[in-house]
Coordinates of all heavy atoms in Angstrom, one line a residue:
G1 N 98.6 125.5 96.6 CA 97.4 126.2 96.1 C 96.6 125.3 95.2 O 96.9 124.2 94.9
P2 N 95.5 125.9 94.6 CA 94.6 125.1 93.9 C 95.1 124.6 92.5 O 94.5 123.7 91.9 CB 93.4 126.1 93.6 CG 94.0 127.5 93.8 CD 95.1 127.3 94.8
R3 N 96.2 125.1 92.1 CA 96.8 124.6 90.8 C 97.9 123.5 91.1 O 98.6 123.1 90.2 CB 97.4 125.7 90.0 CG 96.3 126.5 89.3 CD 96.7 127.9 88.9 NE 96.9 128.8 90.1 CZ 96.8 130.1 90.1 NH1 96.4 130.7 89.0 NH2 97.0 130.8 91.2
S4 N 98.1 123.2 92.4 CA 99.1 122.2 92.8 C 98.4 120.9 93.2 O 97.3 120.9 93.8 CB 99.9 122.7 93.9 OG 100.8 123.7 93.6
A5 N 99.0 119.8 92.9 CA 98.4 118.5 93.2 C 98.7 118.1 94.6 O 99.7 118.4 95.2 CB 98.9 117.4 92.2
N6 N 97.7 117.3 95.2 CA 97.9 116.7 96.4 C 98.5 115.3 96.2 O 99.1 114.7 97.1 CB 96.6 116.6 97.3 CG 96.1 117.9 97.6 OD1 95.0 118.3 97.2 ND2 96.8 118.7 98.5
M7 N 98.2 114.7 95.1 CA 98.6 113.3 94.8 C 98.8 113.1 93.3 O 98.3 113.9 92.5 CB 97.6 112.3 95.4 CG 96.2 112.4 94.9 SD 95.1 111.4 95.9 CE 93.5 111.7 95.1
E8 N 99.4 112.0 93.1 CA 99.8 111.7 91.7 C 99.5 110.2 91.5 O 99.7 109.4 92.4 CB 101.3 112.0 91.5 CG 102.0 111.5 90.3 CD 103.5 111.6 90.3 OE1 104.0 111.8 91.4 OE2 104.1 111.6 89.2
M9 N 99.2 109.8 90.2 CA 99.1 108.4 89.8 C 100.1 108.2 88.8 O 100.2 108.9 87.8 CB 97.7 108.1 89.3 CG 96.6 108.1 90.3 SD 95.0 107.5 89.7 CE 93.9 107.9 91.0
V10 N 101.0 107.2 89.0 CA 102.0 106.7 88.1 C 101.6 105.4 87.5 O 101.2 104.5 88.2 CB 103.4 106.6 88.9 CG1 104.5 106.2 87.9 CG2 103.7 107.9 89.6
F11 N 101.7 105.3 86.2 CA 101.2 104.1 85.5 C 102.4 103.4 84.9 O 103.2 103.9 84.2 CB 100.2 104.5 84.4 CG 99.1 105.3 84.8 CD1 99.1 106.7 84.7 CD2 98.0 104.7 85.4 CE1 98.0 107.5 85.2 CE2 96.9 105.5 85.9 CZ 96.9 106.8 85.7
F12 N 102.4 102.0 85.1 CA 103.4 101.2 84.5 C 102.7 100.1 83.7 O 101.7 99.4 84.2 CB 104.2 100.5 85.6 CG 105.1 101.4 86.4 CD1 104.6 102.0 87.6 CD2 106.4 101.7 86.0 CE1 105.4 102.8 88.3 CE2 107.1 102.6 86.7 CZ 106.7 103.1 87.9
N13 N 103.1 99.9 82.5 CA 102.5 98.9 81.6 C 103.2 97.5 81.9 O 103.7 96.9 81.1 CB 102.7 99.2 80.1 CG 102.0 98.3 79.2 OD1 101.0 97.8 79.5 ND2 102.6 98.0 78.0
G14 N 103.1 97.1 83.2 CA 103.7 95.9 83.6 C 103.8 95.9 85.1 O 103.3 96.8 85.8
Y15 N 104.6 94.9 85.7 CA 104.8 94.8 87.1 C 106.0 95.7 87.5 O 107.1 95.5 87.0 CB 105.1 93.3 87.4 CG 105.1 93.0 88.9 CD1 104.0 92.4 89.5 CD2 106.2 93.2 89.7 CE1 104.0 92.0 90.8 CE2 106.2 92.9 91.0 CZ 105.1 92.3 91.6 OH 105.1 92.0 92.9
S16 N 105.8 96.7 88.3 CA 106.9 97.5 88.7 C 107.7 96.8 89.7 O 107.3 96.2 90.7 CB 106.4 98.8 89.4 OG 105.6 98.5 90.6
G17 N 109.0 96.7 89.4 CA 109.9 95.9 90.2 C 110.2 94.6 89.5 O 109.9 94.4 88.2
V18 N 110.7 93.6 90.2 CA 111.0 92.2 89.6 C 109.7 91.5 89.4 O 109.0 91.2 90.4 CB 111.9 91.4 90.5 CG1 112.2 90.1 89.9 CG2 113.2 92.2 90.7
P19 N 109.3 91.1 88.2 CA 108.0 90.5 87.9 C 108.0 89.1 88.4 O 109.0 88.4 88.4 CB 107.8 90.6 86.4 CG 109.2 90.6 85.9 CD 110.1 91.3 86.9
P20 N 106.8 88.5 88.7 CA 106.7 87.1 88.9 C 107.1 86.3 87.7 O 107.1 86.9 86.6 CB 105.2 86.9 89.2 CG 104.7 88.3 89.7 CD 105.5 89.3 88.9
P21 N 107.4 85.1 87.8 CA 107.9 84.3 86.6 C 106.8 84.1 85.5 O 107.2 83.9 84.4 CB 108.3 82.9 87.2 CG 107.6 82.9 88.5 CD 107.4 84.3 89.0
Q22 N 105.6 84.3 85.8 CA 104.5 84.2 84.8 C 103.5 85.3 85.0 O 103.4 85.9 86.0 CB 103.8 82.8 84.9 CG 104.8 81.6 84.6 CD 104.0 80.3 84.8 OE1 103.1 80.2 85.5 NE2 104.5 79.3 84.0
G23 N 102.7 85.5 83.9 CA 101.6 86.4 84.0 C 102.0 87.8 83.5 O 103.2 88.1 83.2
H24 N 101.0 88.6 83.3 CA 101.1 90.0 82.8 C 100.4 90.9 83.7 O 99.3 90.6 84.2 CB 100.7 90.1 81.3 CG 101.5 89.3 80.4 ND1 101.3 88.0 80.1 CD2 102.6 89.6 79.7 CE1 102.2 87.5 79.3 NE2 103.0 88.5 79.0
Y25 N 100.9 92.1 83.9 CA 100.5 93.0 85.0 C 100.3 94.4 84.5 O 100.9 94.9 83.5 CB 101.4 92.9 86.1 CG 101.6 91.4 86.6 CD1 102.6 90.6 86.1 CD2 100.7 90.9 87.6 CE1 102.7 89.3 86.5 CE2 100.8 89.6 88.0 CZ 101.8 88.8 87.4 OH 101.9 87.5 87.8
F26 N 99.6 95.2 85.3 CA 99.5 96.6 85.2 C 99.7 97.2 86.7 O 99.1 96.6 87.6 CB 98.1 97.0 84.7 CG 97.7 98.5 84.8 CD1 98.4 99.4 84.1 CD2 96.7 98.9 85.7 CE1 98.1 100.8 84.2 CE2 96.4 100.2 85.8 CZ 97.0 101.2 85.1
T27 N 100.5 98.2 86.8 CA 100.8 98.8 88.1 C 100.3 100.2 88.1 O 100.7 101.0 87.2 CB 102.3 98.7 88.4 OG1 102.7 97.4 88.4 CG2 102.5 99.2 89.9
L28 N 99.5 100.5 89.1 CA 99.0 101.9 89.3 C 99.6 102.3 90.7 O 99.2 101.7 91.7 CB 97.5 102.0 89.2 CG 96.9 103.4 89.0 CD1 95.4 103.3 88.6 CD2 97.0 104.3 90.3
T29 N 100.4 103.3 90.7 CA 101.1 103.7 91.9 C 100.7 105.1 92.4 O 101.1 106.1 91.8 CB 102.6 103.7 91.7 OG1 103.0 102.4 91.4 CG2 103.4 104.1 93.0
P30 N 99.8 105.2 93.4 CA 99.5 106.5 94.0 C 100.7 107.1 94.8 O 101.5 106.3 95.4 CB 98.3 106.2 94.9 CG 97.9 104.9 94.6 CD 99.0 104.1 94.0
V31 N 100.9 108.4 94.7 CA 102.0 109.1 95.4 C 101.4 110.3 96.1 O 100.6 111.0 95.5 CB 103.1 109.6 94.4 CG1 104.2 110.3 95.2 CG2 103.6 108.4 93.6
I32 N 101.7 110.5 97.4 CA 101.2 111.7 98.1 C 102.2 112.8 97.8 O 103.4 112.7 98.3 CB 101.0 111.4 99.6 CG1 100.1 110.2 99.8 CG2 100.5 112.6 100.3 CD1 98.8 110.3 99.1
L33 N 101.8 113.9 97.2 CA 102.7 114.9 96.7 C 102.8 116.1 97.7 O 103.7 116.9 97.7 CB 102.3 115.5 95.4 CG 102.4 114.5 94.2 CD1 101.9 115.2 92.9 CD2 103.8 114.0 94.0
S34 N 101.8 116.2 98.6 CA 101.8 117.3 99.6 C 101.7 116.7 101.0 O 100.7 116.9 101.7 CB 100.6 118.2 99.4 OG 99.4 117.5 99.5
P35 N 102.7 115.9 101.4 CA 102.7 115.2 102.7 C 102.9 116.2 103.9 O 103.5 117.3 103.7 CB 103.9 114.3 102.6 CG 104.8 115.0 101.7 CD 104.0 115.7 100.7
K36 N 102.3 115.8 105.0 CA 102.6 116.5 106.2 C 103.7 115.9 107.1 O 104.2 116.5 108.0 CB 101.3 116.7 107.1 CG 100.3 117.6 106.4 CD 99.1 117.9 107.4 CE 98.2 118.9 106.8 NZ 97.1 119.3 107.7
S37 N 104.0 114.6 106.8 CA 105.1 113.9 107.5 C 106.4 114.4 107.0 O 106.6 114.8 105.8 CB 105.0 112.4 107.2 OG 103.8 111.8 107.5

């Protein structure tokens, strides 16, 4: 319904997963919360 999300944004203050050996990162991860699959 209208108070339920279709998608989500997850924020990481860095590289999600194993980071590269150098550099600094920001990860924005969209998630589909109401899938039909």
Side-chain angles (χ1 to χ4, degrees):
R3 286 160 290 209
S4 290
N6 298 114
M7 57 187 180
E8 170 188 16
M9 290 188 186
V10 183
F11 303 99
F12 295 91
N13 186 33
Y15 191 100
S16 63
V18 180
Q22 295 180 331
H24 294 87
Y25 303 89
F26 167 69
T27 304
L28 198 165
T29 300
V31 181
I32 305 306
L33 294 178
S34 61
K36 290 191 176 182
S37 302

